[in-house]
Amino acid sequence: MNHFKTKKSNRIELHAGDLDQKIVQIEQYFSHTEDLNIQKLVCSDQACALFYIDALVNIELIQSTVIKPMMDSSEKGIKQSLTAVEVRKSSDLILIGQCLLEGYCIIVTEMNCDAIMLPAAQTYSRSIQEPTGEQVVKGPHDGFIESLNTNLYLLRHRMKNPKMKVKYFKLGHVTNTKVAMVYMNNIANPKIVAECEKRLCAIDLDYLYTVGNLDEMLEEHPLSPFPQTLQTERPDRAVSYLMEGKITIFVDGNPSVLILPITFFSFYQSSDDYNSRWITGSFFRFIRLISFIMAICLPAIYIATVTYHSEVLPIGILYSVKVSLTYVPLPPILEAFFMQIILELLKEAAIRLPTSISQTIGIVGGLVIGTAVVQAQLVSNTMIVIIGLTAIASFVTPINEFGTSLRILGFPMMIAAALFGFFGIAIMLMLVFIHLCKIETLGVPYFAPFGPFQGKENMKDIFLRLPIWAVNKNPWKSSLKQSVFGRWKRR
């Protein structure tokens, strides 16, 4: 039986009288919709009516498990003749309507106030494929889909542990969207779990369509440019966070899941890091972390340098930059804004266009627009290089939403550089890191383990991806490490 935490609502009882009155009552509750199918039957000399919504049920399943057993039964009662796995009874019209909308078929009899509810849902789902936005070189190539049951199967398939706990919720007064909260009961912090459950129960919405709607309701700092929950479509990534004591939240009909509480450094960890040797994984993770500074500071550093601090450049580079700026009518700040906006337009156009056409946008943006604006002397060659490197640095981030946040953060950084030079960049970076140290997600510091500092033990998987025997807390870790080092010494 399904158990959902929903807000209390007024109970509406089915009529205790004639069968026709019950039929009219259910029809009125569903606004006389034409896809509500009603069949009158007689079973064991007792009149009854069968209700189901055409698009939500498997007609063949109803025929084999409901109608045929009822017709073949002569002496047994209606409930005894049914062969469905789950049979529920209720006289609450609201619960009956909710079950009909979930793909149940309902049997109402003339003599009994309780309706019999049997599952007969029709399922449609696409095949399990690798998420296009989180592709990896090594590792699993499956991803979550729009079916909640399938997504939970992908978790259970990897995590065969009885301590993995699932809690269901219903959110949205109109949509009644099914939401699942999953965590490891023996690893997750009970206070964090209780706080997350409290916030989910307190959500008051008329509709909940996507994970993004839920994300907005759970984040604590809506004005922050940094995302406070991590969205992923990779089951292996979700399982790894479960093993770290985090919570995953599924929304029925969405392939993305929410991971929380999350930290800043989680956005720079990729599945490829753990599917490669630790030296390779550490190298690429370190490059990603460097890309954070490049993505938000590179255009600002260029603007500050050519506007106020040109003396820091070697004479050869300075001459080249000044020559490229000779005939450009726009100041560097407007150059950077113009090219950043062009970059975002090209990115959005590539996403919205069909795949067969979107490749053309790269050619148009790289060759036509890039070459044309330089030849028209609207933008300098150096600015094209700077914006290109900035875009690459923002795209390095494994989570696309975080890369977008960095590009947005680059605009106030450029304004500060245009007004105050290097001093403005330093002030903006100081404000950014103060903000990172200040915000929290479900009580967990966002910039942990640095803000506040939590000791060397919690820094093993931050800048570098250390070997598994150096971070795994299993009892065999020390003996394995000693055997490895012993082998090195013998050599």
Side-chain angles (χ1 to χ4, degrees), residues 207-327:
Y207 61 87
L208 180 67
Y209 294 141
T210 65
V211 170
N213 300 144
L214 190 60
D215 187 7
E216 289 188 31
M217 299 300 296
L218 292 176
E219 64 181 3
E220 301 178 39
H221 306 276
L223 299 180
S224 173
F226 298 99
Q228 292 145 58
T229 61
L230 188 148
Q231 296 186 26
T232 181
E233 297 182 28
R234 296 195 61 86
D236 56 338
R237 192 180 186 111
V239 168
S240 68
Y241 285 124
L242 285 176
M243 291 302 299
E244 294 178 8
K246 293 180 171 56
I247 301 169
T248 63
I249 299 179
F250 295 82
V251 177
D252 193 17
N254 288 265
S256 298
V257 302
L258 287 183
I259 310 291
L260 69 163
I262 209 69
T263 63
F264 170 85
F265 295 98
S266 299
F267 292 97
Y268 285 95
Q269 297 173 353
S270 172
S271 300
D272 274 327
D273 296 348
Y274 303 94
N275 295 321
S276 306
R277 296 185 65 245
W278 73 272
I279 297 177
T280 305
S282 298
F283 172 72
F284 285 112
R285 181 178 297 180
F286 190 69
I287 286 178
R288 289 190 214 106
L289 289 170
I290 292 175
S291 72
F292 168 73
I293 299 297
M294 291 180 60
I296 64 175
C297 289
L298 199 56
I301 291 174
Y302 172 78
I303 292 170
T305 301
V306 299
T307 306
Y308 298 104
H309 310 284
S310 56
E311 67 276 3
V312 303
L313 294 176
I315 188 65
I317 298 177
L318 177 61
Y319 177 77
S320 176
V321 171
K322 288 297 184 180
V323 168
S324 67
L325 290 172
T326 303
Y327 300 103

Side-chain angles (χ1 to χ4, degrees), residues 321-341:
V321 171
K322 288 297 184 180
V323 168
S324 67
L325 290 172
T326 303
Y327 300 103
V328 176
L330 301 176
I333 179 67
L334 294 183
E335 274 189 274
F337 267 64
F338 175 70
M339 290 308 300
Q340 284 281 54
I341 293 173

